[in-house]
Amino acid sequence: AQSVTQPDIHITVSEGASLELRCNYSYGATPYLFWYVQSPGQGLQLLLKYFSGDTLVQGIKGFEAEFKRSQSSFNLRKPSVHWSDAAEYFCAVGERGSQGNLIFGKGTKLSVKP
Amino acid sequence: DVKVTQSSRYLVKRTGEKVFLECVQDMDHENMFWYRQDPGLGLRLIYFSYDVKMKEKGDIPEGYSVSREKKERFSLILESASTNQTSMYLCASRGRPETQYFGPGTRLLVL
């Protein structure tokens, strides 16, 4: 069965520091991969997605993620964090040719220190 | 831009009441989803629909039902609300390819 693991429940970084949020998945083939962000009390906003091709994908708000097939990982990165990036981040995996169902990780909460 | 709206942001209901949560999307998407989100448990799929009047159970359908009479509208129904259904409910609509777009969520409190 597919699964998604976000090993870090909570991460705190200083404003201006770099950020990497980890995501590992378990799936037999190359899945669709997504990162979403959720601000407190809000719905999920799509940050970026990977379907095929270039393994480094760019998203909104200065985020990027790299698909590494050998490590079954899709880590999210940002070179310089802003206070407004404080939120919860969810990695998700989808199966090609399915009804569009996604499997979500349990999320990583990001706090930003001034 | 895809727009997914949910009928209420906050809702307070009493145990035993029938509760309707509505979701509307404006992009003619075929697939729509209902999730509940609880701290430490992430998002769990309740039901999804891949066409008008078609529905499939997700991982946690017990205590819920759904209705899809029009393509743009997908309703979640709590037949008899219970306190363990207090949660954040998120609706999503699937665009192509395979990308889900979420509404703002409804925070439901059952007393």
Side-chain angles (χ1 to χ4, degrees):
Chain A
Q2 296 178 60
S3 65
V4 179
T5 302
Q6 294 180 245
D8 303 305
I9 297 173
H10 190 185
I11 283 182
T12 300
V13 299
S14 299
E15 192 167 15
S18 64
L19 171 70
E20 183 168 30
L21 302 182
R22 296 182 290 165
C23 174
N24 293 96
Y25 65 90
S26 172
Y27 185 61
T30 300
Y32 296 132
L33 296 160
F34 305 84
W35 274 101
Y36 288 86
V37 61
Q38 185 181 35
S39 298
Q42 303 296 317
L44 275 67
Q45 181 183 19
L46 179 68
L47 277 178
L48 47 79
K49 56 193 175 186
Y50 172 78
F51 294 139
S52 64
D54 193 346
T55 56
L56 184 64
V57 293
Q58 303 297 322
I60 62 171
K61 306 186 182 196
F63 285 91
E64 66 178 27
E66 186 172 12
F67 168 58
K68 292 186 176 180
R69 184 192 309 272
S70 61
Q71 298 176 18
S72 296
S73 69
F74 189 56
N75 294 349
L76 182 71
R77 300 193 295 247
K78 187 169 185 179
S80 178
V81 168
H82 188 260
W83 63 267
S84 60
D85 293 323
E88 191 155 19
Y89 292 79
F90 292 90
C91 180
V93 167
E95 181 179 357
R96 293 169 190 271
S98 72
Q99 292 283 5
N101 294 16
L102 298 181
I103 306 296
F104 286 85
K106 290 191 168 33
T108 298
K109 185 175 180 180
L110 173 66
S111 297
V112 180
K113 290 190 299 185
Chain B
D1 277 359
V2 176
K3 192 167 179 65
V4 180
T5 57
Q6 295 184 228
S7 50
S8 306
R9 294 299 305 276
Y10 301 95
L11 215 47
V12 180
K13 296 293 181 180
R14 297 209 172 273
T15 302
E17 280 192 76
K18 191 168 186 175
V19 182
F20 293 87
L21 303 182
E22 287 209 321
C23 175
V24 178
Q25 50 96 1
D26 67 353
M27 287 301 292
D28 202 36
H29 290 165
E30 292 174 349
N31 291 30
M32 297 183 73
F33 304 81
W34 275 106
Y35 296 90
R36 66 176 281 176
Q37 182 182 23
D38 301 286
L41 298 179
L43 276 77
R44 293 179 291 168
L45 181 64
I46 305 171
Y47 268 97
F48 69 97
S49 168
Y50 51 91
D51 204 346
V52 174
K53 296 191 187 296
M54 306 302 286
K55 61 185 179 184
E56 291 280 349
K57 292 179 180 179
D59 301 317
I60 52 163
E62 296 78 19
Y64 303 93
S65 62
V66 290
S67 172
R68 184 112 181 257
E69 296 297 320
K70 292 186 177 182
K71 194 172 187 179
E72 67 270 19
R73 190 179 299 269
F74 189 34
S75 300
L76 180 69
I77 303 156
L78 287 64
E79 297 289 344
S80 177
S82 64
T83 55
N84 63 12
Q85 292 178 309
T86 291
S87 187
M88 172 74 138
Y89 290 88
L90 293 165
C91 174
S93 169
R94 188 195 81 164
R96 296 234 176 240
E98 315 294 354
T99 302
Q100 290 191 20
Y101 299 93
F102 284 81
T106 296
R107 191 168 292 281
L108 172 66
L109 173 62
V110 182
L111 300 174

